[in-house]
Amino acid sequence: MDNPIFICNLEGEIQHASYLVKRILQMGDHTKGYSIYEFVHPDDRPGIEGCFSELLTLGDQGSIPFRYRIENDNYEFLYAKASLVNTHEYPEPVVYITNFYTSDGVELFPVYDSYDNLKRKYQLLFENNCDATFVIDLNGRFLSVNDACVTLSGYSKLELIRMTFFQLIKETYHTSAKKELIRLTNDPDKQNNTFIEMENKSGETVLLNVTSIPLIENGNTTGIYVIAKDVTRQTRLTEELMQSQETLHAVLEHLNVGVFLYAVKDDMTLSPFFEVNHIVCNTLGYSKSELMSMTLRDLYTPEMFQIVLNQRSRLLTSKNMTLKSYHLHKNQKKIPAKINSQIITVNGETMVFSMVEYQTNSAKIQAEEHRSRDPGKNLRLIMAEMDINTAELAAITNLSQATISNLRTGKVKKPNVDTAKKISSALNESASRIWPDLPY
């Protein structure tokens, strides 16, 4: 495991910089032969030389404050712990710097290596995800970001790696986001799917559907894996559609996604569909007249419908929800679906407007290719995407919550065949997608 170590001689000539140090300080691959003074503010050189002199005189550990050049004439204040070391590897005493801290006392490397290993392990899934995907530590600092995150935020990877998630989202969301971070940290069996407004570098407001999943190592939560989908355009489209009810029916027929519109009663019973479009009819095998006499209850198994009712309740609070699920075909086959639902008001009545992307076989195959080798992570991600918690999955599989929890957190990596089949059937996923190394 690579340790965050920086080594220089008493003249400041760099002898060694570990991979982590090079990466977080953006030093490049070739540093040996350079001086540390090339990377710091010129006015800080006397202070650093003074610290080195104290180390040589006192032979103790010291603290070195300095301003590090991040790009052009921009500097960030850091301080580091340093000690003087005599070793056979070097002909003269050298300074070992093993800890770096920001001005507010946050250590830069507490779990960074774990995330670097994780990113290398899941490079394809991480980098090629079309949605913004990133890892934050338990203080909200960005540890890894993909290209989609750069595009969405407008900030470079270098800028993001020096920011926190809280600097991106609007201030009104800070309290709830911090509470959620604490909740996910304290309970690795949880996940969260919510909507947050972000302000990008250009000052534009972007609505994000954010899925947060605890990263678990040796039974402890060490960070949060986050997938953020931009739903701004989709939300605005819904608003525009509702403002023009005369053309609503015609417009819905020209959308390339399935559409459901239905009223939600106060007691959470569901009324017959108010509107569906041809994509829903063609995909599920019903005529429009058949669907218009049905309710959402008819599109799910009885066990799953109880979960759907819970999701409707959460939707009434959040006003917007994106999740992966399925709808039943007329022949009772489960059709995988990605569903974005919003609460709207039509003629004074509360209604749900859902846009559905039905998953094709090619999309299913692509998802299979991108699966992780970590079954606990696979299960957490699928449950988060479907907005199903441990208790709900236990209820529809007739398994204990302890069994689900142990599989989610990775304490149990190999369930028996019967357990695997129950879980995969409930989630409408192949067992091999969750447990790729097992012959299920």
Side-chain angles (χ1 to χ4, degrees):
M1 183 176 289
D2 189 19
N3 294 313
I5 294 176
F6 185 90
I7 303 173
C8 66
N9 63 22
L10 292 171
E11 284 72 44
E13 295 175 349
I14 299 172
Q15 306 297 309
H16 171 74
S18 68
Y19 173 78
L20 292 179
V21 172
K22 291 177 184 177
R23 180 170 179 176
I24 197 68
L25 299 182
Q26 299 293 320
M27 298 182 71
D29 292 329
H30 305 291
T31 54
K32 193 170 183 180
Y34 288 86
S35 169
I36 62 172
Y37 301 118
E38 297 177 46
F39 299 94
V40 302
H41 195 285
D43 293 346
D44 291 338
R45 178 166 182 162
I48 296 175
E49 291 176 336
C51 289
F52 285 179
S53 296
E54 288 184 10
L55 288 175
L56 185 61
T57 303
L58 302 176
D60 201 359
Q61 194 174 69
S63 179
I64 304 176
F66 61 96
R67 285 165 290 177
Y68 182 79
R69 188 182 73 244
I70 54 176
E71 56 182 355
N72 300 327
D73 294 325
N74 296 318
Y75 292 83
E76 178 177 354
F77 177 81
L78 300 173
Y79 65 94
K81 290 183 179 179
S83 56
L84 195 66
V85 175
N86 289 284
T87 172
H88 68 276
E89 294 182 41
Y90 301 100
E92 56 185 344
V94 292
V95 179
Y96 267 55
I97 301 174
T98 55
N99 300 83
F100 290 83
Y101 296 85
T102 63
S103 57
D104 54 0
V106 176
E107 188 175 3
L108 293 181
F109 302 106
V111 290
Y112 197 91
D113 182 66
S114 298
Y115 297 123
D116 185 68
N117 287 336
L118 179 141
K119 186 179 175 184
R120 282 198 294 265
K121 193 173 182 181
Y122 308 123
Q123 187 78 21
L124 181 64
L125 177 62
F126 189 93
E127 289 294 352
N128 293 344
N129 197 332
C130 60
D131 294 327
T133 306
F134 52 91
V135 175
I136 58 176
D137 67 14
L138 301 183
N139 294 302
R141 285 184 65 92
F142 288 102
L143 297 175
S144 290
V145 297
N146 69 352
D147 291 337
C149 191
V150 171
T151 302
L152 178 68
S153 68
Y155 292 96
S156 68
K157 288 188 177 182
L158 174 59
E159 290 173 313
L160 287 169
I161 212 72
R162 298 180 180 282
M163 298 171 65
T164 70
F165 180 61
F166 303 109
Q167 290 173 266
L168 281 186
I169 63 176
K170 291 200 168 183
E171 189 172 352
T172 53
Y173 293 92
H174 282 194
T175 300
S176 60
K178 288 177 181 177
K179 286 181 179 179
E180 191 57 37
L181 184 60
I182 293 172
R183 187 178 75 91
L184 291 171
T185 301
N186 294 334
D187 191 348
D189 199 31
K190 299 293 184 183
Q191 77 246 345
N192 185 48
N193 186 287
T194 189
F195 287 81
I196 287 180
E197 286 185 323
M198 177 195 81
E199 190 171 280
N200 64 20
K201 192 173 184 179
S202 301
E204 300 170 327
T205 297
V206 180
L207 179 63
L208 301 177
N209 175 218
V210 177
T211 299
S212 305
I213 307 162
L215 284 174
I216 302 168
E217 297 193 8
N218 299 321
N220 298 315
T221 302
T222 54
I224 309 296
Y225 184 92
V226 183
I227 302 172
K229 183 177 181 62
D230 181 359
V231 294
T232 309
R233 182 176 176 275
Q234 198 164 299
T235 302
R236 289 175 181 167
L237 173 62
T238 303
E239 293 172 350
E240 292 170 2
L241 287 173
M242 295 305 107
Q243 290 172 1
S244 180
Q245 293 185 42
E246 295 83 4
T247 60
L248 174 62
H249 299 290
V251 172
L252 294 186
E253 289 302 321
H254 286 86
L255 291 177
N256 60 357
V257 294
V259 173
F260 291 90
L261 184 63
Y262 57 91
V264 180
K265 305 301 182 183
D266 292 338
D267 61 358
M268 288 307 295
T269 58
L270 302 169
S271 63
F273 294 120
F274 180 78
E275 183 61 75
V276 296
N277 70 351
H278 70 284
I279 289 183
V280 172
C281 299
N282 294 341
T283 305
L284 300 185
Y286 292 100
S287 67
K288 187 166 185 175
S289 60
E290 287 176 313
L291 280 168
M292 295 292 278
S293 65
M294 297 165 59
T295 73
L296 206 61
R297 183 188 299 273
D298 300 306
L299 298 185
Y300 294 95
T301 61
E303 298 82 7
M304 188 63 189
F305 183 68
Q306 295 304 310
I307 308 300
V308 172
L309 286 182
N310 294 338
Q311 292 168 344
R312 294 306 95 174
S313 180
R314 293 194 283 270
L315 175 61
L316 286 173
T317 301
S318 65
K319 308 300 182 185
N320 202 324
M321 177 182 289
T322 297
L323 52 85
K324 288 187 178 180
S325 187
Y326 64 81
H327 285 157
L328 289 177
H329 188 275
K330 191 174 183 177
N331 63 14
Q332 298 303 295
K333 178 182 178 182
K334 295 176 181 177
I335 308 296
K338 187 172 185 178
I339 307 168
N340 175 262
S341 299
Q342 301 176 49
I343 295 295
I344 62 173
T345 301
V346 179
N347 296 328
E349 185 172 14
T350 300
M351 305 193 80
V352 175
F353 179 82
S354 295
M355 289 188 283
V356 185
E357 297 176 39
Y358 290 108
Q359 194 175 44
T360 63
N361 288 334
S362 60
K364 187 88 170 177
I365 292 171
Q366 187 178 35
E368 289 288 326
E369 291 174 347
H370 283 181
R371 65 181 178 266
S372 159
R373 312 306 297 184
D374 179 353
K377 181 173 181 290
N378 286 335
L379 186 56
R380 293 194 299 274
L381 180 59
I382 293 169
M383 289 176 65
E385 290 175 335
M386 296 183 68
D387 192 35
I388 294 179
N389 61 37
T390 299
E392 291 170 337
L393 184 56
I396 60 177
T397 57
N398 289 319
L399 298 170
S400 69
Q401 291 189 42
T403 297
I404 303 297
S405 178
N406 287 337
L407 290 169
R408 275 176 49 88
T409 58
K411 292 180 180 178
V412 175
K413 297 186 181 297
K414 184 180 179 180
N416 61 46
V417 176
D418 185 56
T419 297
K421 286 182 177 180
K422 286 181 178 179
I423 293 174
S424 59
S425 176
L427 298 177
N428 196 34
E429 288 285 354
S430 65
S432 62
R433 166 86 195 280
I434 307 172
W435 298 280
D437 294 327
L438 300 182
Y440 294 157

